[in-house]
């Protein structure tokens, strides 16, 4: 039997290839320091785990959950939005619980795109935007994110024939992988643009809570007419060290939320209820978990930037997110520099071009590795006489 074209045509998932290389190196007895995937090393806080233990013994939670999340979870998400952004949401139809942001982002493509449609996607980007689009049989039009434009897409540069076929636009700030941030003026332009061209705006705000140096990220839902055309995705993964539990949300335009619900209710049965209770516990807590994490990541960020600058990399200090986006020395490209770090120093980073053609010339380093490994990496970098 021949596997479907959508499987055969999709490029392998970036981290899958990298993890194969790591395994091979480890089999040789090497101590690999992995700055690849962004997956918090800090455990899920105990008070959140206690909630799971408590709720897991309640038989109510042993049965199928609702695909869009319990009303208690959706109400908590709406309250969190009110408190955090001053945004009002109706938990009945403007909020949905997701099995992690990734699930919702992937399923959104099936909800909004038909074959022949176009999705506007930033380049570089979180790979799920393009993979979801291809799985839905639609096409990607990539919007370059250039350093000289502060890694914001140039909306005016999108050709008019593309705009006619475009149904959705993905944006993501604070941005993975570039670490860029966006202000309300940009969000305002995007919402106006979406309304004018009838293109749904899908904002992925997975990193809105991981911000540094006094910066607070806005929500696109703060734009007054955003609900006409936009939804925003969130995740508890990064903010609460909960990647393994799989819980996130989307909020905003009720027709878009309803379409995702239709896909989900036919393909999955929602977030396990005990885990929904964990999410409620996390979202109702004070911000101390997040502020502790931010302190840890900020120290790592600053230590690592100094070490990388020493070997000749150019890095802008990110105000948000979990990544350093570093320009490789001019004699190298993303792949050759990634290879060099792996071969000479046993350090794994992700090549920027793995996130799209415009990521060429960069590498991405994640801040989610333990302090002692960060220190080891810094030692290796400092002792390494790079000939650049
Ligand atoms: C991590 C991440 C997500 C969501 O992660 P989940 O664990 O699936 O909730 C979404 N978007 C971006 C850009 C991410 O980096």
């Amino acid at each position: 039997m021949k596997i479907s074209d959508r499987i055969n045509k999709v490029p392998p998932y970036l981290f899958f290839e990298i993890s194969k290389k790591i395994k091979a190196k480890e089999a040789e007895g090497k101590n690999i320091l992995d700055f690849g995937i962004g997956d918090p090393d800090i455990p899920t806080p105990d008070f959140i785990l206690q909630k799971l233990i408590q709720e897991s013994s309640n038989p109510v939670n042993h049965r199928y959950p609702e695909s869009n999340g319990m009303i208690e979870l959706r109400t908590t998400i709406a309250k969190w939005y009110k408190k955090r952004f001053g945004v009002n949401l109706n938990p009945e139809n403007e909020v949905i619980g997701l099995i992690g942001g990734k699930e919702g982002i992937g399923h959104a493509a099936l909800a909004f795109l038909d074959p022949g449609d176009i999705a506007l996607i930033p380049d570089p980007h979180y790979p799920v935007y393009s993979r979801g689009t291809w799985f839905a049989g639609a096409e990607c039009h990539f919007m370059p994110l250039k350093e000289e434009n502060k890694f914001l897409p140039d909306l005016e540069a999108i050709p008019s024939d593309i705009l006619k076929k475009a149904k959705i636009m993905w944006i993501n700030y604070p941005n993975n992988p570039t670490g860029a941030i966006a202000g309300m003026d940009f969000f305002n332009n995007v919402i106006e643009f979406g309304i004018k061209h009838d293109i749904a705006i899908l904002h992925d705000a997975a990193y809105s809570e991981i911000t540094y140096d006094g910066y607070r990220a806005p929500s696109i839902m703060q734009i007054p007419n955003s609900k006409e055309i936009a939804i925003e995705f969130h995740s508890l993964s990064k903010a609460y060290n909960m990647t393994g539990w799989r819980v996130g949300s989307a909020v905003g335009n009720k027709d878009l939320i309803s379409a995702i619900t239709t896909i989900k209710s036919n393909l999955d049965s929602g977030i396990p209820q005990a885990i929904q209770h964990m999410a409620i516990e996390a979202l109702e807590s004070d911000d101390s978990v997040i502020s502790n994490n931010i302190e840890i990541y900020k120290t790592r960020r600053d230590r690592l930037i100094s070490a990388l600058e020493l070997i000749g990399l150019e890095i802008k200090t990110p105000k948000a997110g979990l990544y350093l986006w570093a320009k490789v020395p001019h004699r190298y490209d993303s792949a050759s520099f990634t290879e060099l770090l792996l071969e000479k120093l046993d350090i794994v980073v992700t090549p920027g071009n793995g996130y799209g053609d415009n990521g060429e010339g960069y590498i991405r380093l994640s801040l989610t590795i333990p302090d002692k490994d960060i220190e080891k990496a810094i030692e290796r970098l400092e002792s390494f006489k790079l000939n650049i």
Side-chain angles (χ1 to χ4, degrees):
M1 199 284 289
K2 184 180 151 294
I3 300 296
S4 73
D5 286 346
R6 73 176 63 79
I7 298 295
N8 287 324
K9 280 188 187 150
V10 79
Y13 197 63
L14 185 57
F15 295 108
F16 183 69
E17 287 301 302
I18 292 169
S19 74
K20 275 204 297 207
K21 279 196 182 159
I22 297 174
K23 285 208 185 91
K25 277 266 182 185
E26 281 174 340
E28 293 169 22
K30 297 274 170 55
N31 173 237
I32 301 292
L33 302 175
D34 183 2
F35 289 86
I37 200 163
D39 187 354
D41 57 303
I42 311 160
T44 307
D46 195 56
F47 71 94
I48 301 174
L49 292 174
Q50 289 308 320
K51 196 70 187 176
L52 173 74
I53 291 166
Q54 186 191 326
E55 291 293 339
S56 65
S57 56
N58 183 350
V60 171
N61 297 325
H62 299 178
R63 310 191 68 199
Y64 284 123
E66 292 288 335
S67 296
N68 61 341
M70 301 187 295
I71 186 64
E72 293 89 338
L73 174 65
R74 288 180 279 129
T75 303
T76 300
I77 292 165
K79 279 191 190 146
W80 182 85
Y81 254 84
K82 179 70 183 168
K83 185 171 115 206
R84 172 69 176 83
F85 300 114
V87 167
N88 290 310
L89 294 165
N90 182 350
E92 293 290 347
N93 55 15
E94 293 177 336
V95 179
I96 183 171
L98 300 171
I99 311 172
K102 188 176 186 179
E103 176 263 310
I105 291 165
H107 276 154
L110 292 180
F112 308 142
L113 298 171
D114 287 313
D117 289 342
I118 286 180
L120 304 172
I121 292 176
D123 170 11
H125 64 278
Y126 178 60
V128 187
Y129 313 145
S130 53
R131 291 354 183 227
T133 301
W134 289 326
F135 285 163
E139 282 159 42
C140 302
H141 173 82
F142 293 111
M143 308 180 289
L145 303 186
K146 303 268 195 200
E147 192 152 357
E148 62 262 31
N149 296 334
K150 300 195 164 81
F151 297 113
L152 298 171
D154 178 2
L155 304 179
E156 300 310 315
I158 304 166
S160 59
D161 57 321
I162 298 289
L163 286 178
K164 284 196 194 95
K165 288 160 84 186
K167 299 270 297 288
I168 63 176
M169 178 192 292
W170 283 105
I171 53 169
N172 164 222
Y173 295 95
N175 185 255
N176 174 11
T178 66
I181 56 176
M184 292 297 274
D185 48 344
F186 173 74
F187 283 161
N188 204 21
N189 291 345
V190 172
I191 293 294
E192 268 182 30
F193 188 86
I195 291 173
K196 180 173 168 202
H197 297 284
D198 196 24
I199 295 170
I201 304 300
L202 313 180
H203 181 230
D204 178 0
Y207 295 95
S208 69
E209 303 315 293
I210 318 278
T211 56
Y212 308 108
D213 312 324
Y215 173 70
R216 292 274 273 170
S219 159
I220 202 167
M221 304 319 298
Q222 287 169 264
I223 304 295
N225 48 355
S226 57
K227 276 188 201 172
E228 284 179 38
I229 201 76
I231 56 174
E232 184 164 78
F233 292 79
H234 257 110
S235 166
L236 280 83
S237 287
K238 315 294 172 25
Y240 296 97
N241 315 330
M242 287 178 69
T243 47
W245 300 109
R246 315 306 306 131
V247 50
S249 64
V251 308
N253 180 282
K254 61 180 180 357
D255 299 326
L256 301 180
I257 295 290
S258 161
I260 296 177
T261 307
T262 301
I263 296 289
K264 281 177 65 62
S265 56
N266 283 282
L267 293 183
D268 69 56
S269 297
I271 314 157
Q273 278 194 180
I275 294 175
Q276 297 191 46
H277 284 289
M278 293 172 86
I280 292 171
E281 192 72 11
L283 291 171
E284 285 180 346
S285 69
D286 63 25
D287 290 340
S288 59
V289 172
I290 297 173
S291 51
N292 286 340
N293 286 347
I294 288 173
E295 274 309 301
I296 294 167
Y297 295 134
K298 177 180 152 36
T299 307
R300 294 175 181 175
R301 178 196 73 171
D302 295 341
R303 294 275 294 131
L304 209 50
I305 287 178
S306 325
L308 291 165
E309 283 176 343
L310 216 60
I311 67 160
L313 300 191
E314 224 181 278
I315 310 171
K316 285 228 170 62
T317 302
K319 282 211 179 322
L322 291 177
Y323 310 102
L324 301 182
W325 185 242
K327 226 181 206 156
V328 302
H330 64 268
R331 288 210 296 117
Y332 295 89
D333 60 14
S334 297
S336 61
F337 200 74
T338 300
E339 199 67 23
L340 180 79
L341 290 177
L342 183 62
E343 289 310 316
K344 302 276 193 220
L345 301 181
D346 295 329
I347 289 176
V348 173
V349 301
T350 32
N353 60 335
Y355 301 94
D357 292 346
N358 281 278
E360 180 54 78
Y362 294 86
I363 54 170
R364 193 196 79 168
L365 289 95
S366 166
L367 300 174
T368 56
I369 85 165
D371 290 336
K372 64 172 191 344
D373 288 349
I374 298 257
E375 292 308 319
K376 267 197 223 168
I378 289 170
E379 271 172 38
R380 290 184 197 175
L381 289 166
E382 285 174 349
S383 66
F384 183 51
K385 300 279 178 291
L386 193 63
N387 183 21
I388 50 179

